[in-house]
Structures are given as structure tokens and as C-alpha cells.
Amino acid sequence: MADGHSNRAAGATIAGFDYQFDHAIVQILDARASDRFEVEGKEDLDFFGDSSKRAIQVKYHESGKYTGPKGLRDPLVMMLKDFDQADSWQYVLHLRFGSGEVPERLSLGDLRTALVRRDRELGEEVRDHPEWDDALLLEFSKRLTIARGSTFESQQHDVIQRLKMTFSCSEDEARILHLPRARDFVRTKARQSDIAARGVTKPELTSALSVVDRLYGLWHSDKAGAESFLRTQIALLKRMQYSDRKKHRAILLRPKMEELDLVVELCEVLTASYLAGLSNAKPWLLAIDAEKSFMTNLKIRLIRDEIAFNDGYEEISLSTTALRRPPVLHVKANSRISDASYALKVITLGSLSSYSHTGGRVARLIDASGGVPYDLGDSFATQTMHLVDFNQENINRIVGEIL
């Protein structure tokens, strides 16, 4: 039961992130070229127009019911902490509840109600932040608008239609090719440590999505079949030099427990490819977001199959230095590898994050995690390709054909 609850919670969290990113994409694509946005500024998304400033906070509670102002206490407190009566900011609370009637405005009385909570120790109701007087709350209520958010699917549809119009492409192409890249663009902006780097305009977004080496590639204007799309992905990965053994390359996976055999097969393929290369080849790095038992069973299988791997001693105490250390090679007269101290790097997602934040870098990253939020720093990968809606069997096939 605990695992099921954890999985549902993780799924809701991921959906909440994507809902926030999708709303940002809609706002940016609907804006004028001169308008500017800041991701994760005062709020989730800040808007700077020619004569107005707007701070937008997005909350997604599809499984929840709106029952009154008290349910908005946390986001309201976050906004009020930054509120200054002397500035000209307008505020928007973009809310999605599964049920209940969400109001468009909050009165002074509603704000007072929202700030009252029951103190369990005292056994009575107390008012949070009594320093916020009625004059401040009244002014805030005048500047606050509540936007009733649509469902996840409806908002995603809106994003797809805007991408379709912007790039004059088919709906399938907008959904499968452009949507993941647009979300990744906004996600990357949100992760920037320098607030100045979180800024974006509509021309910047559309330009970033139009760069050839960041697209999945243009394919059939009509709906493509699964096999056609698969072949397109393989061709594009080859064109983007994911086949280059001299480059540091990595794969990010989020496999299911029952896919252990397939992940072992992938490790075997990656290992064989490396050992068939020249002495200047680089081993693949495979980072996995999975339960500890999955990682333990995977490494046991690799040891049994005599696949030498480097995990930076993560089971004991991760050493990013050891992880970066190149394998010791035995090389034939023709410079081909005959043996190596290890032929593959296998680590957890947590270790990958530590590796990236201590200077670890790759030239090519295949993100087949299915949209897991993670922080790998600002420049971990020179180029990233997202494999969307592929099962582990197809991921193995794609990787196998580019080696």
C-alpha cells in the first residue's frame, strides 16, 4: 500500500510540474514579441509588459475539492510575503481543483478567513501573520485575480494547438515532437541558479524550438505510425552524432521492476559496443531512477554476466572522482580494445545529480525517463534527446541501432 501511495504521489507531482510548465508555454506563446517573462521569479511565472507586471502562481489539485478560502492559505501566504503596497504588481492565482466552485476574486473577509488556522497545541484558532493589517489585505485583494484552470488534458490540448499554429506542423508532430521540447525549455529555465538566466520571450522560445539539432526532426505531415516514428528517432539520433564512440554519452532511464531483463540486455549491448571500439572510445553512462532493490538486482546480474562496470562505489560512499576515472585498457596492435577494467558506468539518478554538480559532463544525453523532474545543473549535457512514450523494449531497439 505504501508503494502504491508513493507512486500516486510521484505521479501527481510530475503532473503538477507539467501543468505549471504547460501554463507557462501558453502564456509565452500568447504574448507579444516585446513582452518578457521570468520563470520562478516572484512566483511560478512573472510577466513584464510595456505597462504592467503580473506574478502568476499555478496550483494543480485535480484530486482535490475547493471548499473555501482556507484551502488557499499556503499560496496566499507565499504571495503576501512578497507583496508591497508601493509597487504596481498584479497577482494571479491559477487554480485547478477537481471539484468545487472556485471564485474569481477574494474579499477582505475571505483573506482574513484564509489566514486563520487551528493551533493544535493551544486548541484554538489563531491568525497567521497578524502584522498584515486590513489596509494591506484590502489592497492585495484588489490586485489579486483567481483564474480557474482547465483540466490537465484540456490545457495540454491548448499547448499543442498553439505549437501546431506556431510551427505550421501537424497535431501529432506538435504533441510528440514539440511539446516535450517546450516543457524541457521551461524546466531548464526554472533550474537556472542565476535569476537573469530565467528570463524568456516568445521569440526566444520559438527560436529555441526551431533549432534543427534540438528538434526530433520533421516527419510525415499526416499521422505517422509507430514504426515510422521509431525509424525517425533512430535516424535523427545518428545525425546528431549519438553514434560517435569518442563522445561521452549517457542514458537516463526510469524502468519498472518487471523490465529488469530488458535493462540487463541494454547493458550488454552498450558494453559490447564499447569493447568493439578503438582505444579513444568512451564507455556509456547509464543512470537509473528506480527502487534500491532494482539497482541491487541489476548489479548482481551484471556481475554474474561478467560485465565490468563502474558505479563510483555508490553503494558504500559515492566517489565522483572514481566515476570520472577512465578504464584501464588492453589494446591490440590496430588500436582496438581487447579488454578493459570496466566497459559501462551504472549509477542511480541521485548519484548522477552529484556527479553533474561536481563537474561531470556528457556530450550527448538520451532522456528516456518519461518526464522525471531532476536537477543536473545548467550544463550537464551539450545535447539532450527526449524519447517520449517508448517502452523499454523500443528504447533498447533505438539504442541498439545507433551503436
Side-chain angles (χ1 to χ4, degrees):
M1 290 294 290
D3 288 344
H5 176 76
S6 176
N7 290 337
R8 287 192 296 273
T13 299
I14 293 171
F17 276 114
D18 284 344
Y19 190 85
Q20 176 184 328
F21 298 147
D22 284 357
H23 184 68
I25 296 166
V26 168
Q27 292 292 311
I28 296 168
L29 291 179
D30 283 352
R32 298 173 300 178
S34 60
D35 294 333
R36 186 171 65 85
F37 294 86
E38 195 171 88
V39 183
E40 296 295 343
K42 285 174 71 71
E43 297 297 339
D44 296 326
L45 184 69
D46 295 347
F47 165 82
F48 300 86
D50 292 339
S51 59
S52 63
K53 295 183 295 184
R54 190 163 64 244
I56 306 168
Q57 188 174 158
V58 180
K59 294 298 177 186
Y60 178 73
H61 303 292
E62 186 62 47
S63 61
K65 178 180 180 180
Y66 178 77
T67 57
K70 285 190 176 183
L72 304 179
R73 184 171 67 89
D74 289 345
L76 288 172
V77 167
M78 290 174 63
M79 285 182 156
L80 279 162
K81 283 181 178 180
D82 285 329
F83 179 65
D84 185 347
Q85 290 175 277
D87 67 28
S88 59
W89 281 90
Q90 298 293 316
Y91 292 82
V92 177
L93 192 51
H94 186 91
L95 298 174
R96 173 59 194 176
F97 282 93
S99 60
E101 189 64 29
V102 177
E104 294 182 356
R105 314 283 307 191
L106 292 180
S107 66
L108 173 59
D110 291 331
L111 290 177
R112 288 172 176 165
T113 300
L115 294 174
V116 172
R117 62 179 175 83
R118 184 165 186 79
D119 190 300
R120 294 182 180 179
E121 292 184 1
L122 297 176
E124 60 184 36
E125 291 190 334
V126 297
R127 158 74 184 273
D128 280 338
H129 300 281
E131 70 275 14
W132 295 338
D133 60 23
D134 283 356
L136 183 143
L137 294 179
L138 181 60
E139 180 62 25
F140 178 73
S141 71
K142 293 177 181 178
R143 298 202 212 164
L144 174 67
T145 301
I146 297 181
R148 301 166 183 168
S150 57
T151 64
F152 183 95
E153 292 76 13
S154 179
Q155 181 175 251
Q156 179 175 275
H157 175 77
D158 291 342
V159 178
I160 291 169
Q161 294 307 308
R162 284 163 173 79
L163 290 169
K164 176 182 174 182
M165 183 181 303
T166 300
F167 294 103
S168 300
C169 63
S170 71
E171 186 163 326
D172 282 336
E173 186 175 354
R175 177 177 61 85
I176 298 175
L177 308 185
H178 293 291
L179 176 61
R181 293 304 309 170
R183 283 175 175 167
D184 185 61
F185 179 88
V186 177
R187 182 186 297 114
T188 300
K189 286 288 182 182
R191 291 202 303 256
Q192 301 301 311
S193 55
D194 181 2
I195 193 168
R198 298 181 211 151
V200 60
T201 63
K202 179 179 180 179
E204 288 172 356
L205 173 61
T206 56
S207 176
L209 298 180
S210 298
V211 175
V212 173
D213 65 0
R214 295 194 66 183
L215 286 176
Y216 290 103
L218 297 174
W219 50 296
H220 311 292
S221 58
D222 296 326
K223 184 173 182 179
E227 179 64 22
S228 177
F229 182 48
L230 195 71
R231 299 306 309 175
T232 300
Q233 299 286 44
I234 293 168
L236 185 60
L237 283 165
K238 289 181 177 179
R239 190 165 68 251
M240 296 168 69
Q241 299 181 318
Y242 277 77
S243 300
D244 189 347
R245 291 174 176 169
K246 299 188 296 296
K247 295 185 182 298
H248 288 284
R249 297 166 293 172
I251 302 174
L252 177 57
L253 291 180
R254 193 189 190 196
K256 302 173 183 177
M257 182 60 75
E258 60 268 24
E259 293 175 326
L260 177 61
D261 289 344
L262 290 170
V263 176
V264 172
E265 289 178 14
L266 177 61
C267 291
E268 292 171 347
V269 169
L270 295 175
T271 298
S273 173
Y274 171 69
L275 294 175
L278 299 175
S279 59
N280 59 359
K282 305 292 190 300
W284 279 86
L285 187 157
L286 183 62
I288 299 175
D289 180 35
E291 298 291 334
K292 184 176 180 180
S293 59
F294 184 98
M295 294 300 296
T296 300
N297 289 332
L298 173 62
K299 292 177 181 180
I300 290 173
R301 290 280 300 275
L302 296 182
I303 292 170
R304 288 176 180 173
D305 292 347
E306 298 185 351
I307 294 177
F309 61 90
N310 178 0
D311 66 355
Y313 309 110
E314 65 177 1
E315 297 290 338
I316 305 171
S317 179
L318 177 68
S319 169
T320 57
T321 300
L323 198 58
R324 283 195 292 270
R325 189 175 297 133
V328 178
L329 301 178
H330 292 285
V331 182
K332 301 176 184 177
N334 60 0
S335 295
R336 291 198 172 275
I337 299 172
S338 64
D339 197 9
S341 57
Y342 73 86
L344 179 67
K345 300 178 182 181
V346 181
I347 56 176
T348 63
L349 179 60
S351 294
L352 181 66
S353 180
S354 298
Y355 176 67
S356 70
H357 284 91
T358 54
R361 297 289 181 266
V362 297
R364 299 292 184 270
L365 171 65
I366 295 176
D367 183 355
S369 68
V372 178
Y374 55 89
D375 179 13
L376 298 180
D378 298 342
S379 56
F380 171 66
T382 305
Q383 197 169 70
T384 302
M385 173 69 82
H386 294 260
L387 296 184
V388 183
D389 294 332
F390 285 111
N391 58 29
Q392 189 62 49
E393 185 175 356
N394 280 331
I395 292 169
N396 285 13
R397 179 182 168 189
I398 290 171
V399 174
E401 295 206 27
I402 68 172
L403 298 178

